[in-house]
Amino acid sequence: MMLETALDGQLQADIMKDQSLVGRKKLGLGINAVLAIDSILNWKKLENCFGSGFKFTNETKYQINQELALQQQRIQDLEIKNKPSEILALQIASKNMSKSLEAINRSGNSKITSEIIDSVFAKAGVSFTQLETAIKALEIVETSASSTRPNDLYRDIIRRLVTILETDKLPLTLHVQSSLNKFMTELDRQMPKTIFPASNANFIEEGRLRILKDYLRGYLRNK
């Protein structure tokens, strides 16, 4: 009987493990992606949006981290998919060049470093630092040919975040000084271009509030 109980317990554990692995594969994320988001976020500032004494539960934090990690992966996948092959190849080559220059700097071989610096200046008329800066710029270069990210990605992540916040029975009204608007704005400050698309508007926060209302129009009303 004890053996059967132990086997049953192990079987249940294996089933839960398999379900967890299936869930992770479906999500397309590992635990490292979720932890990476958690290391970026300042939870104290995010919690203060709902009051000085408010605390998120560990489960809520995990769900928010997970959704943000998924969103970042979706944006990254879309950028790679829609980016012109020439731009993608240039960015990859630039990243490799940056790594090579960093390796040279770390090598401690002053003779090789000096010769490279002198050669670059003689042939290109730029300093080694200027060369590094230019290559770094090429790592993130974009062109008008690059496809813009569709707004449904931002709309989906905001709706998911609101669903998560609803489980903690938080006030979700929409106005400039609302807790929800403060939370989304703070989250956008900490993780730019993940919650809202980049904007050139003069009044960024007001513009984001309009976007937030557009994304949630009808969603909160039906609640």
Side-chain angles (χ1 to χ4, degrees):
M1 180 66 69
M2 291 178 63
L3 178 60
E4 290 178 352
T5 302
L7 289 173
D8 287 342
Q10 182 61 48
L11 179 60
Q12 290 179 358
D14 290 341
I15 291 173
M16 292 178 65
K17 181 179 179 182
D18 291 341
Q19 289 175 339
S20 176
L21 289 173
V22 169
R24 285 187 185 180
K25 287 180 180 179
K26 184 177 180 181
L27 185 64
L29 294 169
I31 190 64
N32 288 338
V34 178
L35 292 176
I37 298 297
D38 188 64
S39 67
I40 294 172
L41 296 179
N42 184 326
W43 287 103
K44 181 65 175 175
K45 289 185 177 180
L46 292 171
E47 289 169 337
N48 284 344
C49 295
F50 296 99
S52 58
F54 177 78
K55 297 286 184 183
F56 284 117
T57 64
N58 289 334
E59 176 63 21
T60 298
K61 287 183 179 180
Y62 179 80
Q63 289 186 38
I64 291 174
N65 286 331
Q66 191 179 64
E67 292 299 342
L68 292 173
L70 175 61
Q71 171 72 348
Q72 283 204 328
Q73 186 63 54
R74 291 175 70 196
I75 290 175
Q76 183 180 1
D77 290 345
L78 189 62
E79 285 180 335
I80 293 174
K81 177 182 177 181
N82 291 337
K83 188 170 293 182
S85 59
E86 298 86 350
I87 296 298
L88 189 59
L90 178 63
Q91 290 178 335
I92 293 173
S94 300
K95 288 179 180 178
N96 290 333
M97 179 64 75
S98 290
K99 291 179 181 178
S100 297
L101 294 178
E102 290 172 1
I104 291 173
N105 282 329
R106 291 195 305 269
S107 69
N109 193 325
S110 58
K111 186 175 185 298
I112 291 179
T113 304
S114 297
E115 288 179 353
I116 292 176
I117 291 174
D118 293 341
S119 179
V120 167
F121 186 77
K123 295 179 180 179
V126 296
S127 68
F128 195 72
T129 301
Q130 289 174 321
L131 175 63
E132 287 181 307
T133 301
I135 292 174
K136 286 289 185 184
L138 289 175
E139 289 183 34
I140 57 174
V141 68
E142 296 289 353
T143 69
S144 58
S146 300
S147 300
T148 57
R149 297 190 291 264
N151 284 345
D152 60 351
L153 288 183
Y154 301 100
R155 180 198 64 216
D156 290 348
I157 188 62
I158 285 177
R159 289 181 176 179
R160 290 194 192 99
L161 288 172
V162 167
T163 300
I164 293 170
L165 295 176
E166 283 180 322
T167 62
D168 282 351
K169 296 181 172 54
L170 295 170
L172 300 179
T173 56
L174 282 168
H175 54 82
V176 175
Q177 295 301 322
S178 69
S179 297
L180 179 59
N181 183 50
K182 290 178 181 178
F183 173 79
M184 292 295 186
T185 302
E186 178 59 34
L187 199 55
D188 187 58
R189 286 197 190 102
Q190 295 183 28
M191 299 190 65
K193 301 180 183 178
T194 303
I195 306 301
F196 296 102
S199 174
N200 295 321
N202 293 327
F203 303 100
I204 299 297
E205 291 193 14
E206 285 80 357
R208 286 171 180 156
L209 178 60
R210 285 195 295 272
I211 292 174
L212 185 61
K213 286 183 176 179
D214 287 342
Y215 287 166
L216 297 178
R217 182 174 289 122
Y219 179 80
L220 291 177
R221 188 184 303 126
N222 293 333
K223 296 292 182 179

